[in-house]
Amino acid sequence: MTAFVFGRGWAARPSRKAALSAALLFAVIASPSAQAQSFLTIWQTTRANEPTLQASRFNLVAAEERTIQAAAALLPQLSATYSKNQNLRNYQQVQEPSTVTQEHFGTTTSAVNLTQPLWRSASRHAWTQAEDGQRQARHQLAGTEQELATRFITTWFDLMAARDTVHFASGQIKASQLQLNIHQRGLVLGISNEVQRDDAASKHEQALAELVGAESDYQSKFAAVEQLAGSLPHLTPPTFISALDQPLFTSLDPVDLWLSRAGSQNPSILTAEEGLAAALDEIRKQQAQHELTVDLVASVSRNDQAEAGNTPSQSGYRMQQSSFGLQVSIPLYSGGAQTAKVREAIALANKAEFDLDAARRTAALQVKQAWASARVSLGKVAAGRQAVTAANTAVRAALSGQTTGLKTILEELQAKQQLAAARRDLLRALYDNIVSFAKLRAATGEVTDSFIEQVQFALLDGSTPDADAISKIEMAPVKTSFFCNADKSKRLLPFAIPSDCVKSDMSVFSFRIGLGVNDNPSE
């Protein structure tokens, strides 16, 4: 059971715990493969490649270009034209004497035209509206990043919890198999009954089924991480190395303070505010379509028709013409279409106002739910700490009780199972602490790079061999042999129980598990 390696069970061996933890930390820092699969690097990959976030980024680029287009409508518009043609003209004189004249000649025309808007109210409002849209797209991008970060953190720790469950289920199989073997041997010796044996067999089958379910759930959670980050064929979920009895985040401000921050920082609220501003600009823009427009216009043109005049009797010519002045345009009637556009814009502004109200309510709900979840996670961590303490006490009591014949191996197994379950539940509470604080900070737009790095500091890649070795030393017996409490030095084959280990006044037998092939306490 490799998931629960940093518990209170190491309290009696502080030097070994410190040395092995330091060795693990150094191995991860020094290992390029471990660094390549770290929580932080996978998050960076996710942020660089996740489709929804990429779409939001390009939406911002498009909004920036729309702002440039809107501003361009207020700047000078300069154009140049040039044309060169060959002409065939048949000229017939209808009066007597009737004549027909055919001419071939070329013409060249060039012109430069300048228009400088002086008064276009609708264009000014369109520019303001485009700037509102650009800010709205920027807030949308920020909101998408916050949402993605929350999804990634939630999915990541769901994967870690699923991994822990797989390890716990594997340990349950070993424990249930050992219990089944004990009752089977006890049935042969006449100290267990068939009910106990069948119950142990049922629990073993249930443990096998739970492992299958845990592995399936792990694969599902792994697929969810890959959906965000892409294919991760070499990913090994890290181990949580923050002090097991302390949550990563402990400071929780009052909910009113979080609500106040969300009101001014929540990306959804800011997006809706800019959406309302853009809708109001749309009303003003459509109303301005009823106003006149004033432009400064200027042009320079040149016509070259040197080979022939406009009629056969005329000679060719070259003409250059310049003009400038003011151009005023007054809309008079459009069939009611423009008035309808104004009413449409007003309706959309009302919709945007209600969207803003909905965003504020949703943000408030998210803050309250995340705040309550964060508060509960702190309580669960405290309860989990106490449960681990109690389970460790039970294990020590079971081990010491075997020397006096007051405890049995079954009670020791049960105590160790409770300890493993308590550690698993405590890890889940620690994961929930991180996830709930991430959701709370996302509601105020505060899931930053420093927050992600803070989470990274609490994780240690479990892909190094030393991590597995530590877990085996702490939790699982390497080799199992049974000894009678009355004669600890006597060596027996596995599952062989001597008759002198069975006391006439005991309903169950008493023996213990030895870790390793040598039971010398000095080792």
Side-chain angles (χ1 to χ4, degrees), residues 14 21 37 62 65 67 95 121 151 153 160-161 200 209 231 247 250-251 282 336 367 378 416 434 451 458 468 502 517:
S21 298
Q37 292 293 325
E65 298 302 326
T67 302
Q95 296 179 353
S121 183
R151 286 172 55 203
I153 292 173
M160 291 182 61
S231 178
T250 57
S251 178
E282 179 66 17
V367 168
L378 295 174
K416 286 188 175 182
I434 297 175
F451 180 85
D468 187 60
V502 181
V517 296

Side-chain angles (χ1 to χ4, degrees), residues 189-417:
L189 297 175
I191 57 177
S192 293
N193 54 51
E194 292 183 355
V195 174
Q196 292 174 319
R197 190 271 314 275
D198 292 344
D199 182 65
S202 174
K203 291 181 178 178
H204 181 61
E205 292 297 329
Q206 181 180 0
L208 292 173
E210 288 177 351
L211 177 60
V212 173
E215 290 175 343
S216 298
D217 184 61
Y218 175 81
Q219 294 299 327
S220 175
K221 297 299 190 295
F222 195 96
V225 173
E226 288 190 317
Q227 181 189 19
L228 297 177
S231 178
L232 299 170
H234 305 296
L235 173 63
T236 298
T239 301
F240 193 85
I241 62 171
S242 180
L244 194 60
D245 59 350
Q246 291 294 334
L248 184 60
F249 302 102
T250 57
S251 178
L252 185 60
D253 295 329
V255 65
D256 291 340
L257 181 59
W258 286 99
L259 289 171
S260 176
R261 286 154 63 180
S264 58
Q265 298 175 193
N266 181 271
S268 297
I269 293 178
L270 298 177
T271 299
E273 288 177 346
E274 295 298 338
L276 177 58
L280 295 175
D281 287 329
E282 179 66 17
I283 294 176
R284 290 187 283 267
K285 183 179 74 173
Q286 295 301 333
Q287 290 174 337
Q289 297 293 341
H290 294 291
E291 301 177 9
L292 58 84
T293 61
V294 180
D295 299 324
L296 173 66
V297 294
S299 66
V300 176
S301 61
R302 177 185 176 91
N303 296 326
D304 190 340
Q305 189 172 311
E307 299 176 5
N310 292 330
T311 66
S313 60
Q314 291 181 340
S315 59
Y317 64 90
R318 290 186 176 91
M319 179 179 65
Q320 181 171 329
Q321 181 177 351
S322 302
S323 65
F324 66 92
L326 295 177
Q327 178 177 298
V328 180
S329 177
I330 303 176
L332 297 178
Y333 182 66
S334 61
Q338 193 57 42
T339 302
K341 289 181 180 180
V342 172
R343 293 196 300 265
E344 177 189 7
I346 292 174
L348 292 176
N350 290 330
K351 175 183 177 298
E353 187 172 0
F354 284 108
D355 288 341
L356 174 59
D357 185 55
R360 287 171 175 164
R361 295 186 184 187
T362 301
L365 177 62
Q366 290 174 345
V367 168
K368 292 177 181 178
Q369 290 177 336
W371 187 87
S373 178
R375 185 180 180 186
V376 169
S377 73
L378 295 174
K380 285 184 177 180
V381 170
R385 292 167 56 192
Q386 187 60 42
V388 171
T389 301
N392 272 300
T393 302
V395 171
R396 289 195 295 270
L399 291 173
S400 63
Q402 290 183 50
T403 61
T404 61
L406 299 178
K407 297 290 184 179
T408 67
I409 183 61
L410 291 177
E411 291 172 306
E412 179 187 346
L413 286 174
Q414 292 173 354
K416 286 188 175 182
Q417 286 177 292

